[in-house]
Amino acid sequence: MKKSKVGHLIIASLLVWVLVQFFFLPATCSAEPAYMITESELVTLEQNSNRQLAISSQLAVELQTAREQLIVSDQELTEAKLQKELLQKQLTDVLNSSKKQENLQKEILKSLPPSAPRVLREIGAKINVDHYVTGISYGVSRRIGSKYIGFRGEYDWQDKKTGVWVTYAY
């Protein structure tokens, strides 16, 4: 019986060995070679991760600031567009009012008599030193621009003389 106990013991140990190999061998054989991270590499990875988190937080803050600025810019743009439309409307109103005033002024100018007549007629009396009327004159002048050019004729009945004058008034 001793032989059978030894045989069973050999078979049992072989079976345990096979089972151990079955569970652990595929894991070690099929796994890629493991790399052991050193403590300094772990510290470097942690520092890099912390830097990336800080950069990510800073970028999130900058993104939020940019979004807020975009909202403000959109509001200012909307206000500027409204102000532009208002100014354009006011400009159109002023131009229309100016045209109306100009037309009204033209109508008023047409209805008013000219301030300086186109033709001036004059009648004059020649007086001597003793305040006696000794002659008479008559003249006609035409406006050319802002000046008058004309003729005047006179007769002196005391001296029995006539005269003709060319006149220029400015």
Side-chain angles (χ1 to χ4, degrees), residues 122-165:
E122 63 180 64
I123 299 175
K126 189 173 182 183
I127 303 174
N128 70 5
V129 180
D130 297 328
H131 301 293
Y132 294 115
V133 176
T134 61
I136 190 163
S137 70
Y138 177 78
V140 175
S141 298
R142 179 168 294 277
R143 186 179 71 197
I144 299 173
S146 62
K147 316 279 190 262
Y148 285 92
I149 297 177
F151 294 99
R152 183 176 68 207
E154 65 181 27
Y155 175 72
D156 187 338
W157 55 73
Q158 187 177 7
D159 294 335
K160 308 268 190 237
K161 291 183 180 177
T162 62
V164 177
W165 296 77

Side-chain angles (χ1 to χ4, degrees), residues 80-90:
K81 285 180 180 177
L82 291 173
Q83 198 170 26
K84 176 188 168 194
E85 290 174 6
L86 177 64
L87 289 173
Q88 283 179 334
K89 184 182 181 302
Q90 288 175 347

Side-chain angles (χ1 to χ4, degrees), residues 1-9:
M1 214 155 155
K2 282 192 175 187
K3 283 186 178 182
S4 91
K5 281 187 180 182
V6 173
H8 284 291
L9 189 57

Side-chain angles (χ1 to χ4, degrees), residues 10-145:
I10 293 175
I11 291 175
S13 49
L14 280 175
L15 187 59
V16 168
W17 184 76
V18 168
L19 286 174
V20 168
Q21 292 300 319
F22 177 75
F23 286 110
F24 292 110
L25 186 62
T28 57
C29 290
S30 67
E32 295 186 15
Y35 177 76
M36 297 294 285
I37 297 177
T38 64
E39 187 176 333
S40 64
E41 290 174 330
L42 187 59
V43 169
T44 303
L45 285 173
E46 186 178 355
Q47 289 172 349
N48 289 345
S49 175
N50 288 338
R51 274 191 229 125
Q52 287 179 344
L53 284 174
I55 290 170
S56 176
S57 296
Q58 180 63 28
L59 288 175
V61 168
E62 289 176 7
L63 179 63
Q64 182 62 31
T65 303
R67 283 182 181 157
E68 291 169 359
Q69 288 175 348
L70 180 63
I71 290 170
V72 169
S73 292
D74 285 345
Q75 290 172 347
E76 289 174 351
L77 179 63
T78 302
E79 289 175 12
K81 285 180 180 177
L82 291 173
Q83 198 170 26
K84 176 188 168 194
E85 290 174 6
L86 177 64
L87 289 173
Q88 283 179 334
K89 184 182 181 302
Q90 288 175 347
L91 178 63
T92 302
D93 291 345
V94 167
L95 287 174
N96 289 339
S97 175
S98 175
K99 285 182 182 179
K100 287 179 183 177
Q101 285 180 347
E102 186 178 326
N103 290 338
L104 184 60
Q105 285 177 346
K106 286 179 182 177
E107 287 179 25
I108 290 172
L109 287 175
K110 285 179 184 177
S111 68
L112 291 176
S115 60
R118 289 190 168 254
V119 176
L120 289 178
R121 291 174 180 82
E122 63 180 64
I123 299 175
K126 189 173 182 183
I127 303 174
N128 70 5
V129 180
D130 297 328
H131 301 293
Y132 294 115
V133 176
T134 61
I136 190 163
S137 70
Y138 177 78
V140 175
S141 298
R142 179 168 294 277
R143 186 179 71 197
I144 299 173

